[in-house]
Amino acid sequence: QVDHLGEVYDKWVYQPILGKEGPRFFANDFCEFLTLTKYWVIPMVWLPVISFVVSISFRRGLTPPHLAMTVAGGILLWTLLEYSLHRFLFHMKTTTYWANTLHYLLHGCHHKHPMDALRLVFPPLATVILSVTVWTLFRLLSPPSVAPALFGGVLLGVMYDLTHYYLHHGKPSKGYTHDLKRHHTNHHYRIQSQFGITSNLWD
């Protein structure tokens, strides 16, 4: 239905509907199931993977301090990747049939239905597709002992999904999370700027 909106799509998609349920994407039940993710699935899937890849760097000779610094570097890289994806891909301006459809599936639906709890976190299958690209780059550009820990840090950043969920459904009263919630609320309901979620560093 969104594909035919053309140039009107960009204005329409950023006018939120505040109900707790979102629309159905696919007639096929299995395809629809792949788009719905409960927040607790994220740590259940990714924490074992993170532990495994970080342990590879340890077995390849990284000392604990070097390991910790490399993982921290991966987390920092994630904040830049998160910001870049959110700003330049998730908020690309679209007008054509297929571009409108792709944007809506990727991120537009979240802005149209920001309180839909089952589409607040990134489905693991979609994360795997992105992760393959990131892992390939790290493997090509980093020493064999460093690449797994760096990748583990980036995956630990993927846990930003839990932060994103909390910013929509939690009620922080003060401190860093309160500032992040205000930052992200401005992004949704005032202006489509302020693209950082776990950090406002790059904003």
Side-chain angles (χ1 to χ4, degrees):
Q1 295 172 345
V2 302
D3 44 26
H4 296 291
L5 288 174
E7 295 184 0
V8 178
Y9 169 77
D10 191 65
K11 180 179 180 180
W12 172 85
V13 80
Y14 295 120
Q15 296 174 343
I17 296 172
L18 297 181
K20 293 184 178 181
E21 295 184 0
R24 186 180 178 95
F25 279 4
F26 298 105
N28 181 278
D29 288 339
F30 181 70
C31 291
E32 181 69 8
F33 169 76
L34 292 178
T35 72
L36 305 173
T37 310
K38 293 184 181 293
Y39 75 92
W40 49 260
V41 169
I42 302 304
M44 187 178 73
V45 169
W46 293 113
L47 283 178
V49 176
I50 292 165
S51 301
F52 175 71
V53 295
V54 171
S55 72
I56 293 174
S57 283
F58 182 72
R59 293 197 302 270
R60 290 179 179 177
L62 282 194
T63 63
H66 194 185
L67 192 68
M69 288 177 58
T70 305
V71 171
I75 294 172
L76 182 62
L77 278 174
W78 164 255
T79 64
L80 178 59
L81 181 61
E82 167 200 300
Y83 172 84
S84 301
L85 285 171
H86 194 191
R87 179 172 182 178
F88 299 111
L89 178 62
F90 293 176
H91 282 270
M92 60 183 175
K93 185 175 176 62
T94 64
T95 58
T96 65
Y97 181 101
W98 287 112
N100 285 350
T101 301
L102 177 62
H103 180 267
Y104 187 77
L105 291 172
L106 190 63
H107 193 62
C109 182
H110 173 55
H111 273 269
K112 194 66 182 177
H113 301 272
M115 299 306 291
D116 180 357
L118 292 178
R119 291 202 174 97
L120 266 174
V121 298
F122 221 51
L125 182 60
T127 305
V128 167
I129 295 170
L130 176 62
S131 296
V132 167
T133 303
V134 174
W135 166 246
T136 301
L137 287 173
F138 285 174
R139 191 178 62 177
L140 292 174
L141 300 175
S142 306
S145 62
V146 170
L150 198 61
F151 183 60
V154 169
L155 287 180
L156 194 57
V158 169
M159 302 286 282
Y160 94 99
D161 266 339
L162 300 182
T163 304
H164 189 208
Y165 186 91
Y166 182 71
L167 295 183
H168 279 267
H169 290 279
K171 297 179 179 179
S173 59
K174 59 182 179 179
Y176 184 65
T177 52
H178 178 266
D179 292 341
L180 281 181
K181 184 176 178 73
R182 181 174 58 188
H183 188 79
H184 193 58
T185 300
N186 285 340
H187 170 73
H188 271 279
Y189 302 111
R190 295 184 66 185
I191 50 174
Q192 274 69 58
S193 63
Q194 301 178 325
F195 298 98
I197 297 171
T198 53
S199 168
N200 59 14
L201 172 66
W202 306 105
D203 284 310

